[in-house]
């Protein structure tokens, strides 16, 4: 037994020695794969960790130095100018002053649905414009609300443009619980029209046979308003009390469009009430109407405007009420002079059957142009084509015009008790599409690059106009603030700003969507 044991021991020792002498002919038995993987991973982790730690320290130091240098450079005054570089425009002529953006091109884009943050808003591409918009009374959970600003909290089942050509035509569908609205916009330049032409809005109001009829007695309430940002006084029309098929609601005068008139046309039996307000701002129109209706509901138990005017009113709101379904055509005439026959013919061409015919023709042209450019009918089913049309329509219908000043923030101290210093960018206008009508109804430089991949295929002149506006925001160092929140309406639409928004070199806090109940009787 002992000899056998020794022999086996010697045999093992010899085998091991022979294996060493033979080298590659007889390799030692490799360790288990699991052990090799664990050791290899440890070596890699040690090497990578050491490399990344040094690199990150270096990058962090370099970045800190560069931020300090850039901020000091940005706030450094321009030579002999005294103005900080960050708020100094690029020293070159403005692109929007080039001849190709003037004349007929500029006039053709003067009026439009350039207020994407509201469900339907119209304005001109001028800093202080005459603006128009639509509101209505919505019903949700047995309570009444004034609908105006696009908000997810409103709980609409649907809203958005189904057709829009970016220039003179758009059709929109909105479903608010049991209420169904269709809005159409048409712009035209005819004989006698002033600068920018005339335009019309048709609102088709319908409802489902359900809770709406029970709560509202089958009566729908629309609110259409005109407001002058320059503060010019608006006058009430002579036919406001006795509304007929076509009646004058309001008049006014401006340097850009001359004497103007707003007319109402309807084949249905509707009642009209009104209110006039004097205010330097138009971003709070929802609040003004809400408060006026609340007072009427409390004091007189009726849901209607009080038929009163404040002195020198620059805002006129018209409540159009009627048994659902009904249609209402609102017509704006520029350069409406004393030639009554010309005014009547222009109103007639933008109301009733004539308006319906012109809207139908515009929709047909939109469909034809869409197929010509994208050829989706050859590739997809009809439902997919409808989605495609809605995509381009909402892109074009979401183009807005804004004017104001951005705030630029320079954090001088990163401590918790530090106060930021702000600088105002120069007053500027911006014609741009928006990423979202409810969340981000303002200009974003990054998003706009993607928007134009689609817009240029539809209308290259609109695309170039938008790019020109963005490039005119460039400062002397070639920097463009990426997020543009220009004007009181844009500021109000940013829920995280509490009335103001700051563009910073450092990232701002997250946004949250506010939910406000506008009216509850």
């Amino acid at each position: 037994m002992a000899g056998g044991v020794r022999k086996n021991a010697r045999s093992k020792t010899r085998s091991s020695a022979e294996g060493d002498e033979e080298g590659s002919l007889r390799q030692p038995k490799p360790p288990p794969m699991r052990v090799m993987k664990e050791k290899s991973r440890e070596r890699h982790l040690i090497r990578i960790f050491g490399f990344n730690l040094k690199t990150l320290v270096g990058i962090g130091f370099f970045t800190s130095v560069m931020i300090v240098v850039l901020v000091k450079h940005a706030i450094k005054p321009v030579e002999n100018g005294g103005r900080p570089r960050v708020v100094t425009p690029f020293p070159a002529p403005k692109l929007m002053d080039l001849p190709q953006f003037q004349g007929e091109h500029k006039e053709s884009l003067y009026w439009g649905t350039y207020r994407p943050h509201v469900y339907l808003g119209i304005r001109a591409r001028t800093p202080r414009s005459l603006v128009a918009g639509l509101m209505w009374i919505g019903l949700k959970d047995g309570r009444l609300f004034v609908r105006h600003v696009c908000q997810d909290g409103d709980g609409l089942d649907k809203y958005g443009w189904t057709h829009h050509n970016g220039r003179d035509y758009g059709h929109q569908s909105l479903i608010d619980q049991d209420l169904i609205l269709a809005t159409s916009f048409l712009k035209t330049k005819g004989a006698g029209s002033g600068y920018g032409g005339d335009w019309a809005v048709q609102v088709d109001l319908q409802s489902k046979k359900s809770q709406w009829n029970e709560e509202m007695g089958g009566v729908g309430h629309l609110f259409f308003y005109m407001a002058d940002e320059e503060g010019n006084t608006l006058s009430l029309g002579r036919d406001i009390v006795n509304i007929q098929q076509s009646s004058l609601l309001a008049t006014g005068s401006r340097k850009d469009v001359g004497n103007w008139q707003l007319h109402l046309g309807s084949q249905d039996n509707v009642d009209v009430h009104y209110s006039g307000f004097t205010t330097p701002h138009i971003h709070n129109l929802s609040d003004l109407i809400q408060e006026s209706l609340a007072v009427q509901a409390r004091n007189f138990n009726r849901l209607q405007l009080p038929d009163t005017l404040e002195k020198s009113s620059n805002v006129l709101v018209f409540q159009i009420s009627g048994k659902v379904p009904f249609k209402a055509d609102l017509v704006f005439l520029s350069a409406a002079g004393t030639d009554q026959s010309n005014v009547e013919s222009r109103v007639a061409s933008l109301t009733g059957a004539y308006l319906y015919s012109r809207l139908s023709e515009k929709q047909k042209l939109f469909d034809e142009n869409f197929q010509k450019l994208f050829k989706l009918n050859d590739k997809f089913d009809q439902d997919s084509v409808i989605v495609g049309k809605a995509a381009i329509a909402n892109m074009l219908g979401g183009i807005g015009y804004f004017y104001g000043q951005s705030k630029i923030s320079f954090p001088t101290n990163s401590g918790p008790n530090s106060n930021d210093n702000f600088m105002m960018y120069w007053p500027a206008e911006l014609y741009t599409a928006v990423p979202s009508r409810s969340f981000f109804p303002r200009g974003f430089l990054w998003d706009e690059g993607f928007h134009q991949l689609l817009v240029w295929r539809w209308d290259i002149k609109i695309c170039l106009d938008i790019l020109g506006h963005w490039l005119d925001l460039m400062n002397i160092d070639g920097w463009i603030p990426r997020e543009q929140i220009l004007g009181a309406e844009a500021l109000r639409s940013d829920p995280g700003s509490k009335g103001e928004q700051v563009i910073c070199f450092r990232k701002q806090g997250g946004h949250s969507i506010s939910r406000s109940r506008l009216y509850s009787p």
Side-chain angles (χ1 to χ4, degrees):
M1 292 288 295
V5 172
R6 288 195 295 269
K7 181 179 180 181
N8 289 341
R10 286 196 300 268
S11 298
K12 291 181 180 178
T13 303
R14 182 182 179 186
S15 298
S16 176
E18 291 175 356
D20 292 338
E21 294 174 356
E22 293 174 354
S24 60
L25 295 178
R26 296 186 64 183
Q27 294 293 337
K29 185 177 181 181
M33 184 63 66
R34 179 180 178 183
V35 175
M36 292 180 63
K37 286 184 178 180
E38 289 179 353
K39 291 183 178 180
S40 175
R41 183 173 59 184
E42 290 175 358
R43 289 196 298 270
H44 282 292
L45 286 175
I46 293 173
R47 184 172 67 253
I48 292 174
F49 178 79
F51 176 79
N52 280 347
L53 182 60
K54 295 177 182 178
T55 303
L56 289 175
V57 171
I59 291 176
F61 176 76
F62 177 77
T63 302
S64 300
V65 173
M66 289 302 299
I67 289 176
V68 172
V69 172
L70 288 174
V71 170
K72 288 186 176 180
H73 178 73
I75 62 177
K76 177 184 177 182
V78 178
E79 291 75 4
N80 302 322
R83 177 190 291 183
R85 298 182 65 88
V86 70
V87 292
T88 300
F90 188 78
K94 294 294 185 182
L95 289 176
M96 297 315 300
D97 292 336
L98 293 173
Q100 55 264 45
F101 296 122
Q102 304 301 311
E104 184 179 350
H105 167 81
K106 187 174 183 178
E107 183 179 3
S108 69
L109 294 174
Y110 194 63
W111 289 105
T113 55
Y114 299 143
R115 301 172 63 213
H117 62 288
V118 298
Y119 290 113
L120 178 65
I122 301 164
R123 67 168 293 132
R125 296 204 316 174
T126 188
R128 299 181 67 81
S129 172
L130 186 68
V131 301
L134 176 70
M135 306 182 195
W136 71 91
I137 296 292
L139 178 67
K140 181 180 179 182
D141 300 327
R143 308 183 71 183
L144 303 181
F145 299 84
V146 173
R147 307 298 199 200
H148 182 214
V149 178
C150 296
Q151 299 180 106
D152 281 3
D154 288 346
L156 268 65
D157 295 331
K158 173 184 178 183
Y159 73 90
W161 298 99
T162 61
H163 301 77
H164 204 298
N165 64 12
R167 289 184 173 270
D168 58 11
Y169 165 72
H171 179 81
Q172 187 177 206
S173 176
L174 307 100
I175 301 178
D176 184 4
Q177 306 299 316
D178 298 324
L179 201 62
I180 304 171
L181 297 92
T183 70
S184 298
F185 170 77
L186 178 71
K187 184 173 64 176
T188 180
K189 176 75 174 182
S193 298
Y195 186 81
D198 306 330
W199 51 261
V201 168
Q202 182 180 87
V203 184
D204 185 352
L205 188 64
Q206 301 186 32
S207 68
K208 303 175 183 177
K209 294 182 178 180
S210 58
Q211 185 180 1
W212 172 265
N213 290 314
E214 297 176 6
E215 296 284 343
M216 303 297 295
V219 178
H221 302 278
L222 304 176
F223 301 84
F224 195 84
Y225 61 86
M226 299 292 295
D228 195 318
E229 291 182 317
E230 287 187 339
N232 297 313
T233 300
L234 310 187
S235 301
L236 206 61
R238 62 181 181 274
D239 302 326
I240 188 66
V241 177
N242 299 313
I243 294 296
Q244 302 172 357
Q245 290 186 358
S246 177
S247 300
L248 178 64
L249 294 182
T251 63
S253 181
R254 288 177 55 91
K255 292 181 179 179
D256 54 352
V257 298
N259 296 327
W260 60 266
Q261 296 181 359
L262 178 69
H263 292 257
L264 168 65
S266 180
Q267 300 293 326
D268 301 305
N269 185 21
V270 296
D271 293 325
V272 176
H273 296 277
Y274 62 89
S275 280
F277 304 97
T278 304
T279 175
H281 311 292
I282 65 166
H283 64 273
N284 60 341
L285 293 183
S286 302
D287 300 333
L288 294 177
I289 295 177
Q290 158 198 328
E291 293 167 5
S292 181
L293 289 174
V295 169
Q296 289 290 99
R298 259 192 325 266
N299 296 340
F300 306 104
N301 195 30
R302 60 191 182 192
L303 194 64
Q304 68 180 50
L305 295 177
D307 296 333
T308 58
L309 296 175
E310 295 180 359
K311 185 179 180 180
S312 302
S313 297
N314 67 314
V315 178
L316 288 179
V317 184
F318 300 96
Q319 179 179 355
I320 306 168
S321 304
K323 283 286 186 179
V324 181
F326 71 84
K327 290 183 181 180
D329 301 329
L330 287 307
V331 180
F332 173 85
L333 300 183
S334 58
T338 57
D339 188 349
Q340 188 61 29
S341 61
N342 177 261
V343 168
E344 291 177 355
S345 63
R346 287 161 66 187
V347 171
S349 68
L350 290 172
T351 55
Y354 289 102
L355 177 59
Y356 176 80
S357 176
R358 299 175 78 166
L359 291 172
S360 299
E361 182 62 26
K362 285 291 184 180
Q363 179 173 324
K364 180 181 178 182
L365 291 174
F366 174 90
D367 292 337
E368 292 175 352
N369 195 37
F370 180 84
Q371 172 58 17
K372 177 182 177 181
L373 291 174
F374 302 106
K375 298 180 174 59
L376 296 191
N377 289 336
D378 304 333
K379 306 173 185 177
F380 301 100
D381 57 30
Q382 191 58 34
D383 289 340
S384 299
V385 173
I386 292 174
V387 172
K389 290 179 181 179
I392 186 65
N394 280 285
M395 178 66 67
L396 297 167
I399 293 176
Y401 175 90
F402 309 91
Y403 182 85
Q405 289 180 268
S406 299
K407 275 189 174 182
I408 310 301
S409 171
F410 289 92
T412 58
N413 188 345
S414 60
N417 298 322
S418 63
N419 294 320
D420 290 336
N421 293 327
F422 304 110
M423 295 183 184
M424 299 301 296
Y425 223 56
W426 61 86
E429 60 179 353
L430 181 62
Y431 174 64
T432 180
V434 301
S436 169
R437 292 174 64 187
S438 59
F439 281 83
F440 302 108
R442 51 190 177 273
F444 281 79
L445 181 61
W446 172 270
D447 299 72
E448 198 58 27
F450 293 101
H451 295 160
Q452 296 314 306
L453 293 175
L454 186 61
V455 173
W456 79 267
R457 295 186 62 184
W458 181 269
D459 193 321
I460 186 63
K461 291 184 178 180
I462 290 179
C463 175
L464 294 175
D465 199 298
I466 290 175
L467 294 179
H469 275 87
W470 273 103
L471 291 173
D472 280 345
L473 294 172
M474 184 184 298
N475 74 2
I476 193 171
D477 293 317
W479 179 68
I480 299 175
R482 68 171 184 86
E483 182 178 358
Q484 293 290 330
I485 308 178
L486 306 177
E489 285 196 287
L491 290 171
R492 172 105 184 219
S493 298
D494 178 55
S497 69
K498 296 183 180 180
E500 67 176 18
Q501 173 68 23
V502 181
I503 302 170
C504 296
F505 284 124
R506 56 190 171 90
K507 186 178 179 181
Q508 290 293 305
H511 298 278
S512 61
I513 296 303
S514 64
R515 177 179 296 183
S516 58
R517 293 186 172 179
L518 300 177
Y519 175 66
S520 178

